[in-house]
PDB file of all heavy atoms in Angstrom:
ATOM      1  N   CYS W  13       2.810 -17.257 -12.004  1.00  0.00           N
ATOM      2  CA  CYS W  13       2.153 -18.369 -11.326  1.00  0.00           C
ATOM      3  C   CYS W  13       1.716 -19.413 -12.347  1.00  0.00           C
ATOM      4  O   CYS W  13       1.656 -19.145 -13.549  1.00  0.00           O
ATOM      5  CB  CYS W  13       0.959 -17.880 -10.515  1.00  0.00           C
ATOM      6  SG  CYS W  13      -0.449 -17.352 -11.500  1.00  0.00           S
ATOM      7  N   LYS W  14       1.423 -20.584 -11.836  1.00  0.00           N
ATOM      8  CA  LYS W  14       0.991 -21.671 -12.709  1.00  0.00           C
ATOM      9  C   LYS W  14      -0.525 -21.633 -12.885  1.00  0.00           C
ATOM     10  O   LYS W  14      -1.260 -21.190 -11.995  1.00  0.00           O
ATOM     11  CB  LYS W  14       1.419 -23.015 -12.138  1.00  0.00           C
ATOM     12  CG  LYS W  14       2.928 -23.208 -12.149  1.00  0.00           C
ATOM     13  CD  LYS W  14       3.310 -24.629 -11.784  1.00  0.00           C
ATOM     14  CE  LYS W  14       4.816 -24.814 -11.939  1.00  0.00           C
ATOM     15  NZ  LYS W  14       5.237 -26.202 -11.641  1.00  0.00           N
ATOM     16  N   SER W  15      -0.960 -22.088 -14.024  1.00  0.00           N
ATOM     17  CA  SER W  15      -2.381 -22.116 -14.337  1.00  0.00           C
ATOM     18  C   SER W  15      -3.130 -22.913 -13.271  1.00  0.00           C
ATOM     19  O   SER W  15      -2.687 -23.979 -12.835  1.00  0.00           O
ATOM     20  CB  SER W  15      -2.580 -22.759 -15.714  1.00  0.00           C
ATOM     21  OG  SER W  15      -3.916 -22.704 -16.110  1.00  0.00           O
ATOM     22  N   GLY W  16      -4.239 -22.354 -12.803  1.00  0.00           N
ATOM     23  CA  GLY W  16      -5.052 -23.014 -11.793  1.00  0.00           C
ATOM     24  C   GLY W  16      -4.812 -22.542 -10.381  1.00  0.00           C
ATOM     25  O   GLY W  16      -5.612 -22.828  -9.485  1.00  0.00           O
ATOM     26  N   THR W  17      -3.738 -21.827 -10.165  1.00  0.00           N
ATOM     27  CA  THR W  17      -3.450 -21.307  -8.824  1.00  0.00           C
ATOM     28  C   THR W  17      -4.054 -19.922  -8.661  1.00  0.00           C
ATOM     29  O   THR W  17      -4.547 -19.311  -9.611  1.00  0.00           O
ATOM     30  CB  THR W  17      -1.942 -21.255  -8.570  1.00  0.00           C
ATOM     31  OG1 THR W  17      -1.339 -20.353  -9.509  1.00  0.00           O
ATOM     32  CG2 THR W  17      -1.319 -22.634  -8.734  1.00  0.00           C
ATOM     33  N   SER W  18      -4.025 -19.431  -7.421  1.00  0.00           N
ATOM     34  CA  SER W  18      -4.571 -18.107  -7.112  1.00  0.00           C
ATOM     35  C   SER W  18      -3.446 -17.144  -6.755  1.00  0.00           C
ATOM     36  O   SER W  18      -2.424 -17.553  -6.200  1.00  0.00           O
ATOM     37  CB  SER W  18      -5.561 -18.196  -5.945  1.00  0.00           C
ATOM     38  OG  SER W  18      -6.682 -18.959  -6.309  1.00  0.00           O
ATOM     39  N   VAL W  19      -3.648 -15.901  -7.062  1.00  0.00           N
ATOM     40  CA  VAL W  19      -2.643 -14.870  -6.800  1.00  0.00           C
ATOM     41  C   VAL W  19      -3.314 -13.681  -6.116  1.00  0.00           C
ATOM     42  O   VAL W  19      -4.379 -13.245  -6.543  1.00  0.00           O
ATOM     43  CB  VAL W  19      -2.009 -14.386  -8.122  1.00  0.00           C
ATOM     44  CG1 VAL W  19      -1.092 -13.209  -7.881  1.00  0.00           C
ATOM     45  CG2 VAL W  19      -1.256 -15.517  -8.789  1.00  0.00           C
ATOM     46  N   LYS W  20      -2.677 -13.181  -5.059  1.00  0.00           N
ATOM     47  CA  LYS W  20      -3.208 -12.009  -4.354  1.00  0.00           C
ATOM     48  C   LYS W  20      -2.304 -10.816  -4.593  1.00  0.00           C
ATOM     49  O   LYS W  20      -1.080 -10.897  -4.451  1.00  0.00           O
ATOM     50  CB  LYS W  20      -3.308 -12.271  -2.860  1.00  0.00           C
ATOM     51  CG  LYS W  20      -3.850 -11.077  -2.067  1.00  0.00           C
ATOM     52  CD  LYS W  20      -3.851 -11.317  -0.576  1.00  0.00           C
ATOM     53  CE  LYS W  20      -4.979 -12.190  -0.146  1.00  0.00           C
ATOM     54  NZ  LYS W  20      -5.111 -12.267   1.337  1.00  0.00           N
ATOM     55  N   ILE W  21      -2.928  -9.695  -4.927  1.00  0.00           N
ATOM     56  CA  ILE W  21      -2.201  -8.442  -5.147  1.00  0.00           C
ATOM     57  C   ILE W  21      -2.678  -7.433  -4.103  1.00  0.00           C
ATOM     58  O   ILE W  21      -3.892  -7.276  -3.905  1.00  0.00           O
ATOM     59  CB  ILE W  21      -2.459  -7.897  -6.567  1.00  0.00           C
ATOM     60  CG1 ILE W  21      -2.040  -8.926  -7.620  1.00  0.00           C
ATOM     61  CG2 ILE W  21      -1.718  -6.583  -6.775  1.00  0.00           C
ATOM     62  CD1 ILE W  21      -2.489  -8.574  -9.034  1.00  0.00           C
ATOM     63  N   GLU W  22      -1.731  -6.770  -3.462  1.00  0.00           N
ATOM     64  CA  GLU W  22      -2.073  -5.773  -2.441  1.00  0.00           C
ATOM     65  C   GLU W  22      -1.898  -4.357  -2.972  1.00  0.00           C
ATOM     66  O   GLU W  22      -0.960  -4.066  -3.715  1.00  0.00           O
ATOM     67  CB  GLU W  22      -1.176  -5.940  -1.208  1.00  0.00           C
ATOM     68  CG  GLU W  22      -1.429  -7.194  -0.420  1.00  0.00           C
ATOM     69  CD  GLU W  22      -0.625  -7.226   0.869  1.00  0.00           C
ATOM     70  OE1 GLU W  22       0.267  -6.368   1.044  1.00  0.00           O
ATOM     71  OE2 GLU W  22      -0.887  -8.112   1.700  1.00  0.00           O
ATOM     72  N   CYS W  23      -2.783  -3.491  -2.557  1.00  0.00           N
ATOM     73  CA  CYS W  23      -2.716  -2.073  -2.904  1.00  0.00           C
ATOM     74  C   CYS W  23      -2.848  -1.267  -1.622  1.00  0.00           C
ATOM     75  O   CYS W  23      -3.811  -1.455  -0.866  1.00  0.00           O
ATOM     76  CB  CYS W  23      -3.857  -1.730  -3.868  1.00  0.00           C
ATOM     77  SG  CYS W  23      -3.970   0.012  -4.321  1.00  0.00           S
ATOM     78  N   ARG W  24      -1.874  -0.402  -1.371  1.00  0.00           N
ATOM     79  CA  ARG W  24      -1.878   0.375  -0.134  1.00  0.00           C
ATOM     80  C   ARG W  24      -1.742   1.864  -0.419  1.00  0.00           C
ATOM     81  O   ARG W  24      -0.935   2.270  -1.261  1.00  0.00           O
ATOM     82  CB  ARG W  24      -0.715  -0.038   0.777  1.00  0.00           C
ATOM     83  CG  ARG W  24      -0.809  -1.438   1.318  1.00  0.00           C
ATOM     84  CD  ARG W  24       0.349  -1.761   2.252  1.00  0.00           C
ATOM     85  NE  ARG W  24       0.309  -3.152   2.679  1.00  0.00           N
ATOM     86  CZ  ARG W  24      -0.350  -3.579   3.744  1.00  0.00           C
ATOM     87  NH1 ARG W  24      -1.013  -2.729   4.501  1.00  0.00           N
ATOM     88  NH2 ARG W  24      -0.337  -4.851   4.062  1.00  0.00           N
ATOM     89  N   SER W  25      -2.529   2.666   0.286  1.00  0.00           N
ATOM     90  CA  SER W  25      -2.319   4.108   0.276  1.00  0.00           C
ATOM     91  C   SER W  25      -1.387   4.427   1.437  1.00  0.00           C
ATOM     92  O   SER W  25      -1.659   4.051   2.574  1.00  0.00           O
ATOM     93  CB  SER W  25      -3.650   4.848   0.413  1.00  0.00           C
ATOM     94  OG  SER W  25      -4.333   4.459   1.593  1.00  0.00           O
ATOM     95  N   LEU W  26      -0.277   5.092   1.151  1.00  0.00           N
ATOM     96  CA  LEU W  26       0.774   5.240   2.154  1.00  0.00           C
ATOM     97  C   LEU W  26       0.639   6.510   2.996  1.00  0.00           C
ATOM     98  O   LEU W  26       1.088   6.539   4.144  1.00  0.00           O
ATOM     99  CB  LEU W  26       2.146   5.221   1.489  1.00  0.00           C
ATOM    100  CG  LEU W  26       2.495   3.932   0.740  1.00  0.00           C
ATOM    101  CD1 LEU W  26       3.931   3.980   0.221  1.00  0.00           C
ATOM    102  CD2 LEU W  26       2.283   2.707   1.612  1.00  0.00           C
ATOM    103  N   ASP W  27       0.060   7.559   2.433  1.00  0.00           N
ATOM    104  CA  ASP W  27       0.027   8.817   3.171  1.00  0.00           C
ATOM    105  C   ASP W  27      -1.345   9.468   3.173  1.00  0.00           C
ATOM    106  O   ASP W  27      -1.467  10.662   3.420  1.00  0.00           O
ATOM    107  CB  ASP W  27       1.073   9.785   2.616  1.00  0.00           C
ATOM    108  CG  ASP W  27       0.933  10.007   1.122  1.00  0.00           C
ATOM    109  OD1 ASP W  27       0.017   9.411   0.516  1.00  0.00           O
ATOM    110  OD2 ASP W  27       1.735  10.764   0.560  1.00  0.00           O
ATOM    111  N   PHE W  28      -2.376   8.684   2.915  1.00  0.00           N
ATOM    112  CA  PHE W  28      -3.732   9.205   3.006  1.00  0.00           C
ATOM    113  C   PHE W  28      -4.691   8.041   3.213  1.00  0.00           C
ATOM    114  O   PHE W  28      -4.344   6.880   2.985  1.00  0.00           O
ATOM    115  CB  PHE W  28      -4.118  10.012   1.769  1.00  0.00           C
ATOM    116  CG  PHE W  28      -4.220   9.207   0.492  1.00  0.00           C
ATOM    117  CD1 PHE W  28      -5.455   8.793   0.006  1.00  0.00           C
ATOM    118  CD2 PHE W  28      -3.081   8.884  -0.234  1.00  0.00           C
ATOM    119  CE1 PHE W  28      -5.543   8.063  -1.170  1.00  0.00           C
ATOM    120  CE2 PHE W  28      -3.159   8.155  -1.412  1.00  0.00           C
ATOM    121  CZ  PHE W  28      -4.403   7.737  -1.887  1.00  0.00           C
ATOM    122  N   GLN W  29      -5.875   8.368   3.654  1.00  0.00           N
ATOM    123  CA  GLN W  29      -6.892   7.346   3.843  1.00  0.00           C
ATOM    124  C   GLN W  29      -7.715   7.222   2.570  1.00  0.00           C
ATOM    125  O   GLN W  29      -8.316   8.197   2.108  1.00  0.00           O
ATOM    126  CB  GLN W  29      -7.787   7.707   5.026  1.00  0.00           C
ATOM    127  CG  GLN W  29      -7.040   7.665   6.351  1.00  0.00           C
ATOM    128  CD  GLN W  29      -7.964   7.874   7.538  1.00  0.00           C
ATOM    129  OE1 GLN W  29      -8.899   8.657   7.468  1.00  0.00           O
ATOM    130  NE2 GLN W  29      -7.725   7.164   8.625  1.00  0.00           N
ATOM    131  N   ALA W  30      -7.709   6.023   2.013  1.00  0.00           N
ATOM    132  CA  ALA W  30      -8.355   5.781   0.728  1.00  0.00           C
ATOM    133  C   ALA W  30      -9.761   5.254   0.944  1.00  0.00           C
ATOM    134  O   ALA W  30      -9.958   4.081   1.235  1.00  0.00           O
ATOM    135  CB  ALA W  30      -7.533   4.799  -0.095  1.00  0.00           C
ATOM    136  N   THR W  31     -10.735   6.135   0.814  1.00  0.00           N
ATOM    137  CA  THR W  31     -12.110   5.700   0.978  1.00  0.00           C
ATOM    138  C   THR W  31     -12.564   4.845  -0.196  1.00  0.00           C
ATOM    139  O   THR W  31     -13.416   3.977  -0.062  1.00  0.00           O
ATOM    140  CB  THR W  31     -13.043   6.908   1.107  1.00  0.00           C
ATOM    141  OG1 THR W  31     -12.729   7.845   0.061  1.00  0.00           O
ATOM    142  CG2 THR W  31     -12.845   7.593   2.446  1.00  0.00           C
ATOM    143  N   THR W  32     -11.997   5.113  -1.359  1.00  0.00           N
ATOM    144  CA  THR W  32     -12.365   4.360  -2.556  1.00  0.00           C
ATOM    145  C   THR W  32     -11.098   3.925  -3.285  1.00  0.00           C
ATOM    146  O   THR W  32     -10.176   4.716  -3.452  1.00  0.00           O
ATOM    147  CB  THR W  32     -13.227   5.202  -3.507  1.00  0.00           C
ATOM    148  OG1 THR W  32     -14.357   5.712  -2.792  1.00  0.00           O
ATOM    149  CG2 THR W  32     -13.716   4.363  -4.674  1.00  0.00           C
ATOM    150  N   MET W  33     -11.078   2.660  -3.663  1.00  0.00           N
ATOM    151  CA  MET W  33      -9.979   2.147  -4.477  1.00  0.00           C
ATOM    152  C   MET W  33     -10.547   1.518  -5.742  1.00  0.00           C
ATOM    153  O   MET W  33     -11.677   1.017  -5.740  1.00  0.00           O
ATOM    154  CB  MET W  33      -9.146   1.140  -3.691  1.00  0.00           C
ATOM    155  CG  MET W  33      -8.271   1.785  -2.630  1.00  0.00           C
ATOM    156  SD  MET W  33      -7.210   0.582  -1.814  1.00  0.00           S
ATOM    157  CE  MET W  33      -6.063   1.654  -0.952  1.00  0.00           C
TER     158      MET W  33
END
Side-chain angles (χ1 to χ4, degrees):
Chain W
C13 71
K14 293 189 175 182
S15 185
T17 62
S18 295
V19 173
K20 180 184 283 189
I21 302 170
E22 291 186 350
C23 177
R24 294 182 185 271
S25 57
L26 299 185
D27 54 0
F28 66 100
Q29 293 186 323
T31 48
T32 306
M33 287 185 167

